[in-house]
Amino acid sequence: MSIDPMSVWANMQLKVWPERYWMLQLGDASASYAASVFVSSDDRYSCLIRDQAGVSAIVQEKAYELLKSEVTVRECFGPFRVVSTDGDLPFDVIGFLRPVLELLNDEGIKAGPQCGAVFDHLFIYERDVDRAYTLLEDFISKARESQ
């Protein structure tokens, strides 16, 4: 039996991380050094992805400064703030992020999703985070009313 995403949203809280984050596109040769920065960092959130474009990193400013001083950064996006789910999020709920991504995108807000095993995270440009948070809180309120 599938889990209704709106019932999950109705019980969800949000958390806005106070730190600023950057998305970096690095060359493949940078993977080893980038991984060592992740291992030695005490940052509260970071992400390292290798895909067909090479290596991407999502890091706080301190790690960003360290990486850009040691490796070639092909592209840099940010600053972002992270808005995370902060409640019981079943791993196998299907279509959970779609309605909020559509809502934010319809309002001209770029929201880059990153999913962990327990929480989902939305990377939102810092300039848009207050407006996005208001929209998401309203969305959650409507989900609660519909239950």
Side-chain angles (χ1 to χ4, degrees), residues 21-24 38 45-47 56-60 114 123:
Y21 292 86
W22 300 88
M23 288 185 175
L24 311 173
F38 279 64
Y45 182 90
S46 60
C47 182
S56 297
I58 301 169
V59 294
Q60 288 182 28
Q114 288 291 323
F123 289 82

Side-chain angles (χ1 to χ4, degrees), residues 17-24 37-38 41-47 57-67 80 82 123:
W17 297 59
E19 302 87 9
R20 300 171 90 202
Y21 292 86
W22 300 88
M23 288 185 175
L24 311 173
V37 169
F38 279 64
S41 173
D42 62 354
D43 291 346
R44 296 183 331 137
Y45 182 90
S46 60
C47 182
I58 301 169
V59 294
Q60 288 182 28
E61 284 186 293
K62 183 173 71 175
Y64 165 57
E65 294 299 327
L66 184 58
L67 283 169
F80 292 96
V82 178
F123 289 82

Side-chain angles (χ1 to χ4, degrees), residues 32-132:
S32 154
Y33 182 76
S36 73
V37 169
F38 279 64
V39 169
S40 65
S41 173
D42 62 354
D43 291 346
R44 296 183 331 137
Y45 182 90
S46 60
C47 182
L48 186 61
I49 300 166
R50 182 182 301 204
D51 62 16
Q52 64 273 26
V55 175
S56 297
I58 301 169
V59 294
Q60 288 182 28
E61 284 186 293
K62 183 173 71 175
Y64 165 57
E65 294 299 327
L66 184 58
L67 283 169
K68 79 176 187 178
S69 71
E70 297 293 327
V71 300
T72 300
V73 176
R74 292 182 186 163
E75 290 188 84
C76 175
F77 305 96
F80 292 96
R81 297 284 299 283
V82 178
V83 177
S84 292
T85 56
D86 197 17
D88 185 25
L89 177 58
F91 181 77
D92 54 354
V93 63
I94 297 171
F96 178 70
L97 286 178
R98 182 179 179 171
V100 297
L101 291 173
E102 288 176 349
L103 169 71
L104 295 172
N105 290 179
D106 287 349
E107 293 293 324
I109 297 173
K110 168 69 175 163
Q114 288 291 323
C115 301
V118 178
F119 302 108
D120 284 350
H121 313 282
L122 298 172
F123 289 82
I124 298 172
Y125 279 108
E126 188 173 62
R127 66 180 179 260
D128 296 326
V129 77
D130 290 336
R131 192 164 55 105

